[in-house]
Amino acid sequence: MTDLRGRTVIITGGARGIGAETGRAAVESGARVVLTDVREEEGRATAQRLGGHARFVRHDVTSEDDWREVVAFTAAAFGRVDGLVNNAGISGGSHLLEEQTAEDFRRVLDIDLTGVFLGMRAVIPPMREGGGGSVVNVSSAAGLMGLARTAGYGAAKWGVRGLTRLGAVELGAARIRVNSVHPGMTHTPMTAHVGIERGEGKYPDTPMGRVGEPHEIARAVVFLLSDAASYVTGAELAVDGGWTTGPALRPIEENT
């Protein structure tokens, strides 16, 4: 069902975490992938592990010139651009709204939102020329609800939802599908350094009682890239263990 044979996919933030796992899942489904990241050493190592169907390009998603180079590199290496996964992003740290500086706010929006816009715009011509394609924008559970201490990050991820819907409306006639994935708390290098632990019962606020794993997000992304989702565009897929659905049900303690 998630057959990507003959497809070429660009994955930003592909050096580690969700991006690296998405690259692995896409290659296993038959795709050729171009991983991009500012972490050059990790990115090259990840591409090498994935074998001959993977390449790496150092890439700043806020740079229009870099986007042109990535698209040109992909077309030269593999002949076409069929998919884009806008995964690169930063958290911007944990700050109350009144504590967030304008500089930090703009920096998060530049990477997490403007980078998505630039990527979508860059792949339209080759996808249109190739007869269509699929864009998957990695938003967040923070783009589906109000999450304290995430002013820049939350604003960016809500913005990604808007760009996704706009893209779906404008590009549907060109057979370019645009969807968003909304991971909940996921165990990645970005979350591990702030103490997020994996395992059952480690995240009781989520109905499933645990954080997600990068490969669980990757599977959802690959589904949206594939023809299994051929009639899906403008969708918002939460992969969050039920976090945005409602609070976890806790046992009622009996009075003794």
Side-chain angles (χ1 to χ4, degrees):
M1 290 291 287
T2 54
D3 186 354
L4 296 180
R5 284 176 293 181
R7 311 284 177 87
T8 299
V9 181
I10 298 168
I11 303 169
T12 70
R16 62 183 189 174
I18 292 170
E21 280 298 311
T22 300
R24 183 188 60 78
V27 168
E28 288 180 354
S29 296
R32 299 163 299 186
V33 303
V34 173
L35 306 177
T36 84
D37 210 301
V38 293
R39 297 179 177 85
E40 189 166 0
E41 186 175 341
E42 286 182 86
R44 293 194 185 283
T46 299
Q48 187 173 14
R49 286 195 299 272
L50 294 180
H53 291 294
R55 302 285 189 276
F56 173 78
V57 178
R58 191 188 187 285
H59 176 207
D60 174 0
V61 296
T62 69
S63 166
E64 295 183 65
D65 288 341
D66 277 15
W67 271 110
R68 282 190 286 269
E69 290 175 10
V70 166
V71 170
F73 174 90
T74 303
F78 295 123
R80 53 190 299 118
V81 179
D82 303 289
L84 168 64
V85 181
N86 276 311
N87 169 71
I90 60 172
S91 70
S94 176
H95 307 283
L96 292 172
L97 178 62
E98 62 188 307
E99 299 169 347
Q100 181 87 57
T101 67
E103 181 182 7
D104 286 344
F105 185 84
R106 292 190 188 101
R107 178 170 177 263
V108 176
L109 260 64
D110 202 24
I111 295 171
D112 292 9
L113 181 57
T114 304
V116 172
F117 158 72
L118 293 175
M120 290 173 63
R121 192 181 64 178
V123 299
I124 292 171
M127 285 187 178
R128 197 190 299 274
E129 183 179 344
S134 175
V135 175
V136 182
N137 294 325
V138 180
S139 178
S140 168
L144 296 172
M145 63 181 184
L147 188 61
R149 295 180 176 274
T150 65
Y153 184 78
K157 295 305 186 179
W158 277 83
V160 169
R161 289 180 68 188
L163 274 177
T164 298
R165 291 192 170 203
L166 177 143
V169 169
E170 291 190 359
L171 300 173
R175 299 171 59 88
I176 299 172
R177 298 182 296 105
V178 188
N179 295 287
S180 59
V181 168
H182 298 258
M185 192 61 71
T186 306
H187 191 270
T188 67
M190 188 169 73
T191 60
H193 87 276
V194 295
I196 298 301
E197 298 180 82
R198 52 164 50 108
E200 298 296 331
K202 295 291 187 179
Y203 201 60
D205 288 343
T206 297
M208 291 186 70
R210 65 175 178 85
V211 300
E213 296 291 339
H215 71 265
E216 294 176 302
I217 315 304
R219 289 170 184 165
V221 174
V222 168
F223 161 72
L224 291 171
L225 289 171
S226 77
D227 285 343
S230 58
Y231 199 52
V232 180
T233 195
E236 299 165 349
L237 178 56
V239 190
D240 65 353
W243 188 22
T244 56
T245 304
L249 180 63
R250 294 182 174 83
I252 298 175
E253 295 182 4
E254 296 183 3
N255 293 323
T256 56

